[in-house]
Amino acid sequence: MRIHEYQAKQLFAKYGIPVSASNTASTVDEAVSSANALGYPVVVKAQIHAGGRGKGGGIELAKSASQVRDAATRMLGMTLVTPQTGSGGRIVRLLLIESAADIAQELYLGMAIDRGNRAITVMASRAGGVDIEETALRDPDAILKEIVDPFLGLRPFQAFRLAHRLGLPIKTARGVAKFIQSLYRLFCEQDCVLAEINPLAITSDGDPLAIDAKLNLDDNGLFRHPDLRDLRDLNEEDPLEVEATAVNLNYIKLDGTVGCLVNGAGLAMATMDLIKHVGASPANFLDVGGGATAEMIEKGVQILIGDPDVKAVFINIFGGILRCDVLAEGVVAAAKKLSILVPVIVRLEGTNVEQGRRILNESGLSFRTASSLGEAAVMVAAAVGVTS
Ligand code: GDP
Ligand code: MN
């Protein structure tokens, strides 16, 4: 789960990680009164779940109340397009008004669970700021790394070594090492999967300060943090994924054209492989699970055809606990309610498969039923117009 910069900074403050004084504002008047309370200059920052805001016009320095008014008027309600939002952009609903910092140097600090190393990896660079992505591609050696032993945790010497390798003077290096250790503690205690401070500023006094703050939380750890669960902003999430979660469906949007409805994560992975194998591409991962009801199936179909990218639907079910007749009833109910304009290919096998096929065939609706995976794959490829 992603959270906003202002929410991440509230967590930072709890862990003693230095941040500037700030307030959120959802109206222009609130922005101005926040800025007046903080004193000038301030930075007006659009709160969306994407970086690159500076490049898209979502970050502005304001030296007076009238400049805050102008910036807030421009930003609130705007569709902010940045290199990370995609062309659709994101609507700005909230601003962070923050005391402007006097920045002498911009560093980069990141922390992630590195699957390759099977450990949390701390990354830092002198080339912080808005162009870190380009730097990482052009000059990967500019990113320094410390791999954390999962049993020992981050050792103090690792934090100091990283700060030292950044070429910082001793007092600043001490401050940065402490910053890294505090962030590591937050990262572990709050079950994060990614933390990024870009830039981690060094102020003119030589102290570290988190100018930006990105934290991604582990969805599977949220049950341990009811307070963090409340930080979720549904406006920032794919509406179809939100709908799916509400009815306990496991749905992840992908960028292909074949909508898949499958039971069981293993079968879902195999189905996506199969689609790729015949030259097509899955539009999503949708696992209705072992104990799906007809209502859940109906909702699943509705979610699939609600995606404008879907050019064909492939229902691939192995009936174990989920019986084929229950599946068929759900699909038929969905098809009768919704106008399905794309071909629907169904491959059923397992418990009550004969009944399931009969329900589909007698529904009067035009499903294309396949009797094997191979046959289904060919039908799917033909339906989306790939020839393999
Ligand atoms: P991003 O573009 O979404 O990554 O937003 P950031 O919060 O990282 O801000 C982008 C850039 O704005 C930073 O790299 C800084 O150069 C600048 N900036 C942000 N806040 C301040 C501030 O308080 N003082 C100064 N001088 N610059 C700032
Ligand atoms: Mn940034």
Side-chain angles (χ1 to χ4, degrees):
M1 182 180 91
R2 293 183 175 205
I3 61 174
H4 284 293
E5 174 195 5
Y6 80 92
Q7 295 166 326
K9 284 181 170 172
Q10 285 168 2
L11 278 170
F12 283 12
K14 281 191 194 159
Y15 280 82
I17 298 170
V19 290
S20 299
S22 66
N23 264 310
T24 54
S26 54
T27 65
V28 174
D29 286 340
E30 264 174 36
V32 173
S33 57
S34 287
N36 286 340
L38 292 167
Y40 293 90
V42 295
V43 184
V44 180
K45 311 186 79 176
Q47 298 298 288
I48 57 169
H49 282 191
R53 296 164 299 168
K55 288 186 172 167
I59 305 283
E60 207 168 300
L61 186 74
K63 293 179 177 151
S64 65
S66 76
Q67 286 183 359
V68 171
R69 186 167 290 283
D70 288 350
T73 306
R74 186 175 61 74
M75 282 184 210
L76 279 171
M78 89 185 278
T79 301
L80 179 54
V81 180
T82 84
Q84 295 181 18
T85 57
S87 55
R90 295 281 172 78
I91 296 172
V92 179
R93 297 178 167 87
L94 190 72
L95 302 174
L96 183 67
I97 312 297
E98 187 169 77
S99 283
D102 192 2
I103 301 178
Q105 192 179 356
E106 295 196 349
L107 307 173
Y108 169 87
L109 178 66
M111 231 170 252
I113 296 176
D114 181 346
R115 287 168 204 282
N117 288 315
R118 289 179 245 163
I120 294 172
T121 299
V122 186
M123 293 158 286
S125 175
R126 288 176 67 80
V130 294
D131 292 320
I132 187 72
E133 282 81 8
E134 288 84 65
T135 305
L137 287 177
R138 204 182 52 242
D139 182 14
D141 292 343
I143 315 274
L144 310 172
K145 289 184 181 167
E146 286 287 343
I147 297 166
V148 181
D149 184 309
F151 293 104
L152 298 176
L154 179 73
R155 301 286 83 197
F157 82 85
Q158 292 185 291
F160 280 102
R161 182 164 62 189
L162 204 50
H164 176 70
R165 286 167 73 204
L166 288 168
L168 303 168
I170 186 73
K171 171 180 166 271
T172 304
R174 276 202 196 102
V176 168
K178 184 163 171 265
F179 187 111
I180 294 170
Q181 287 170 292
S182 304
L183 183 65
Y184 177 77
R185 199 160 65 81
L186 183 162
F187 192 97
C188 295
E189 287 182 9
Q190 305 295 330
D191 291 318
C192 298
V193 291
L194 180 76
E196 236 180 352
I197 322 297
N198 185 36
L200 163 57
I202 304 302
T203 64
S204 46
D205 298 330
D207 297 320
L209 179 69
I211 293 291
D212 198 359
K214 171 174 173 171
L215 278 186
N216 291 358
L217 307 169
D218 187 347
D219 290 333
N220 297 313
L222 282 176
F223 74 98
R224 304 204 280 207
H225 309 285
D227 50 327
L228 295 183
R229 206 182 293 188
D230 296 340
L231 303 183
R232 190 162 178 196
D233 182 352
L234 296 180
N235 285 324
E236 293 284 334
E237 295 183 21
D238 184 316
L240 293 177
E241 290 190 4
V242 173
E243 253 181 72
T245 310
V247 290
N248 265 329
L249 294 170
N250 231 325
Y251 171 83
I252 295 161
K253 170 93 175 95
L254 301 169
D255 52 14
T257 56
V258 181
C260 313
L261 187 145
V262 187
N263 65 327
L267 185 58
M269 298 302 282
T271 303
M272 295 197 297
D273 282 350
L274 190 70
I275 291 169
K276 282 279 188 190
H277 185 68
V278 293
S281 203
N284 67 284
F285 173 104
L286 174 55
D287 173 13
V288 298
T293 60
E295 291 75 38
M296 283 169 77
I297 306 286
E298 188 181 328
K299 190 73 191 175
V301 174
Q302 190 189 334
I303 287 169
L304 288 189
I305 62 166
D307 175 354
D309 296 335
V310 167
K311 303 289 176 253
V313 170
F314 179 21
I315 299 176
N316 187 12
I317 298 292
F318 185 82
I321 301 169
L322 168 62
R323 303 188 327 255
C324 293
D325 54 319
V326 171
L327 177 275
E329 276 165 15
V331 173
V332 169
K336 282 188 173 155
K337 261 190 223 165
L338 313 160
S339 61
I340 301 183
L341 303 171
V342 295
V344 179
I345 295 118
V346 189
R347 177 263 177 183
L348 289 181
E349 207 52 77
T351 313
N352 293 355
V353 64
E354 293 309 329
Q355 271 167 270
R357 290 199 182 126
R358 196 174 331 117
I359 292 168
L360 291 179
N361 291 336
E362 291 172 1
S363 67
L365 300 160
S366 57
F367 299 109
R368 304 181 188 177
T369 46
S371 50
S372 72
L373 278 181
E375 192 190 348
V378 172
M379 289 167 115
V380 166
V384 294
V386 293
T387 46
S388 53

